[in-house]
Amino acid sequence: MLVETCHKSAAGRSARSLLAALLAVPLAAAGLSVFAAPAAAAPAGPTASVSMGDSYMSGEAGRWKGNSLTTSGSRDGTDRAWTGSGYDPTRVYGSTYASGCDRSDSAEVNSATSVAQTRINLACSGAVTANVFRASNGGQAFKGEAPQADQLAAVAAANKVKLITLSIGGNDLGFADVISTCVQDYLVWYSYCNDDQQAAVDGKMNAAMDGVAKSIDEIRAVMSGAGYAAADYRVVLQSAPSPTPRAADNRYSESGWARANTGGCPLWDGDANWARDSLVPQISNRLAGVAAAKGVQFLDLGDAFDGHEVCAKAAKQVSASAPPSGATSEWMRWLDMGWTTQGNRQESMHPNYFGQLALGRCIDLLYAKPSGNFTCRNTAGQDHNGMFLTGRP
């Protein structure tokens, strides 16, 4: 999923100057993966782990090791694109920075090192379910690339695919619009967003889940056509981690400008609680239902960043006296408020470098479980090595 927003610096700017910089960008929240079907020998070749879907899977925001208010140089060591004299995002996103797919070197599939010999990222920031389907079955090219299922066909023919992990659906649900509306209601209108935005999500939910289900069918069809049997590989459908904490766990007061200017999490308490305890679980539960109906494993990541969300009391921003740390820094890119130039706005509200290492660890742990559904959580005070799984019905 991805969002468009803006950055931070001067604390005294008006709400309307903030709003002027606030733009909606596709978001990527949700997730999935798949199985296969026929009865031919799976192709030979190096074993491969493949990721498909949207920005939460592509690795959007992997450029950042936490959030820092420093706007120059290496931003207190948080900006991995810093060259010593300027910024080169291709150091993190490679050639996909030009298209905007933003497949980072630390993306979940790359951070899960124990699954296979080769790691292949087909996910693209901003993708919707139609960008996963085969072109022959209604799929749409995106950002100059063929539909992801068609790309998978070539990968499956040249490699021995062992795992396919998919995260998709957030953009179908209009998650970027939800965040944009809630931020505007905090900064400008001084009203809650959760009532009308809950209705908006509900109105799109069934179609979005139908798209997720069809994505799984498309992946299975590709794998079957490539000669794979269902037992030759595994599929995982995953949800997305909550980007913000509950109101009680936010280190900034609801009043004043600190949540926007300093923390980058401009949401009213009521909306923060709704997002954390209603919206994120609702999406996860619906995805779990799709996974069950399609016979694939489900990985619930809703609580994976608990204590490391943007503005969480248990985490802290990076500064000259508090260097980047997977144990203490935030694992989510803040909402870019647009006052200064610090990276790209579409990176907002996506897992950063530390978060992607954590998600990769979740996949490593899940791959050791041949069946069943799981929730991945973190151990307080530890980095990604403290991630652990618990069973999920």
Side-chain angles (χ1 to χ4, degrees):
M1 22 167 167
L2 82 136
V3 183
E4 187 159 304
T5 42
C6 316
H7 239 73
K8 35 183 96 225
S9 73
R13 305 297 177 85
S14 71
R16 296 209 175 265
S17 66
L18 282 172
L19 180 58
L22 184 67
L23 304 171
V25 176
L27 218 123
L32 57 146
S33 275
V34 221
F35 272 74
T47 59
S49 174
V50 181
S51 62
M52 303 175 68
D54 54 32
S55 54
Y56 268 77
M57 187 62 78
S58 74
E60 186 73 76
R63 171 176 176 173
W64 304 96
K65 299 176 73 173
N67 300 308
S68 169
L69 293 171
T70 299
T71 59
S72 61
S74 68
R75 343 270 195 184
D76 293 318
T78 62
D79 193 347
R80 300 173 60 225
W82 174 244
T83 66
S85 59
Y87 305 100
D88 179 11
T90 65
R91 291 162 64 103
V92 175
Y93 301 120
S95 62
T96 66
Y97 178 70
S99 70
C101 279
D102 285 356
R103 299 181 182 117
S104 74
D105 56 357
S106 60
E108 181 180 308
V109 68
N110 294 325
S111 295
T113 59
S114 68
V115 176
Q117 297 166 303
T118 304
R119 297 179 285 277
I120 301 170
N121 191 351
L122 302 180
C124 185
S125 188
V128 296
T129 53
N131 302 132
V132 175
F133 311 156
R134 291 168 295 170
S136 62
N137 204 19
Q140 300 172 9
F142 187 59
K143 295 186 177 179
E145 296 184 354
Q148 292 178 32
D150 291 327
Q151 296 182 56
L152 175 64
V155 171
N159 300 272
K160 189 174 183 178
V161 175
K162 304 303 292 181
L163 178 69
I164 301 171
T165 312
L166 178 61
S167 173
I168 197 73
N171 293 321
D172 298 72
L173 289 171
F175 200 59
D177 293 336
V178 172
I179 292 182
S180 178
T181 299
C182 291
V183 171
Q184 292 179 47
D185 282 354
Y186 180 84
L187 296 173
V188 179
W189 307 118
Y190 304 102
S191 62
Y192 288 125
C193 71
N194 60 76
D195 49 357
D196 58 321
Q197 291 309 297
Q198 181 65 66
V201 170
D202 289 344
K204 296 176 180 178
M205 183 64 75
N206 288 340
M209 294 303 109
D210 286 345
V212 172
K214 182 176 177 179
S215 296
I216 295 174
D217 290 341
E218 290 290 290
I219 294 171
R220 280 179 162 158
V222 167
M223 297 301 287
S224 176
Y228 287 76
D232 290 334
Y233 68 102
R234 290 165 57 189
V235 177
V236 173
L237 166 61
Q238 67 179 47
S239 65
S242 176
T244 55
R246 299 174 181 86
D249 297 324
N250 196 309
R251 62 179 182 264
Y252 301 105
S253 170
E254 181 180 33
S255 60
W257 291 102
R259 281 192 182 180
N261 294 352
T262 305
C265 59
L267 296 174
W268 294 112
D269 283 352
D271 290 337
N273 288 338
W274 164 72
R276 185 68 176 80
D277 292 327
S278 182
L279 180 61
V280 170
Q282 177 190 13
I283 296 172
S284 291
N285 289 335
R286 289 299 301 269
L287 288 170
V290 172
K294 293 299 177 181
V296 304
Q297 278 186 290
F298 179 65
L299 179 61
D300 190 344
L301 298 172
D303 294 324
F305 289 6
D306 191 29
H308 289 281
E309 309 101 324
V310 178
C311 298
K313 285 180 179 177
K316 55 187 175 183
Q317 289 181 345
V318 177
S319 66
S321 60
S325 166
T328 61
S329 298
E330 295 165 325
W331 290 359
M332 187 72 66
R333 183 64 177 160
W334 60 23
L335 194 66
D336 183 335
M337 300 306 297
W339 282 333
T340 60
T341 300
Q342 196 182 90
N344 298 318
R345 285 171 291 187
Q346 72 179 40
E347 295 171 313
S348 300
M349 293 298 172
H350 287 86
N352 62 25
Y353 173 79
F354 293 129
Q356 289 172 19
L357 293 185
L359 298 180
R361 178 60 179 159
C362 292
I363 292 299
D364 275 332
L365 293 171
L366 183 68
Y367 194 65
K369 307 286 187 180
S371 62
N373 303 320
F374 296 88
T375 295
C376 194
R377 294 185 169 89
N378 75 83
T379 302
Q382 295 188 26
D383 62 12
H384 64 280
N385 290 306
M387 303 305 292
F388 63 94
L389 299 178
T390 57
R392 189 187 195 283

